[in-house]
Amino acid sequence: MARAGLSSAAVVAAALAVVDERGVDALTLAAVATRTGVATPSLYKHVGGLADLRTLIGRRVIEELTERLAGAVLGRSGDEAAAALMRAYRGYAVEHPRRYAAMPVDPLHDPRLAAAGRHLLDVLLAVLRGYGLAGPPAIHAARCLRAAVHGFAALEAAGGFGLPDDLDQTYDQLIRMVLAALPLFDRET
């Protein structure tokens, strides 16, 4: 029998705890069942299986990141907003490296994730509107900005920067590089 009070949200929270502790590869229904104190088959009352649970986790991570970025850019525009977005993005990935690794790379093409992915994209596009960017130039700029931030954050989370120089200083230089490039996107290529 299912534990009283267990819900889809509680199952997702337990799954995120497993991911945070042991990584996305350690996520199994058995691990979540153990964490919630139920038998594995009881989880099927709340999630459709492991694939469904991974989708729910992905959506939660996207929503958390979106909330973090939206809060960081609120009331800011231009370089100040873009720099705040970049710092908030890296901050989330560094604080939650295993959770961040569970974020789907292309949520816009999964009907179960598209709304959450669109909200995240909307925050990014709102920042880029501060540079007068819309349409294809904004999409190109968004892709480049995401690649820069994700690349740095993923490398950092994986321990890919082994040299002793200060990572914050390097990231500040990356921010300056991106900020210098954003105005160039108003030209069609």
Side-chain angles (χ1 to χ4, degrees), residues 25 46 55 83 87 106 145 167 178:
D25 291 339
H46 307 288
T55 298
R87 285 188 180 97
D106 186 15
L145 178 60
L167 283 179
V178 170

Side-chain angles (χ1 to χ4, degrees), residues 84-97:
L85 180 133
M86 292 178 73
R87 285 188 180 97
Y89 193 111
R90 176 186 176 218
Y92 183 87
V94 169
E95 289 171 31
H96 307 286

Side-chain angles (χ1 to χ4, degrees), residues 21-40:
E21 290 172 7
R22 300 187 310 210
V24 71
D25 291 339
L27 180 64
T28 64
L29 291 178
V32 175
T34 298
R35 185 161 197 94
T36 58
V38 300
T40 301

Side-chain angles (χ1 to χ4, degrees), residues 66-83:
T66 301
E67 184 177 328
R68 171 86 60 104
L69 299 183
V73 303
L74 187 64
R76 295 181 164 96
S77 64
D79 286 354
E80 185 183 1

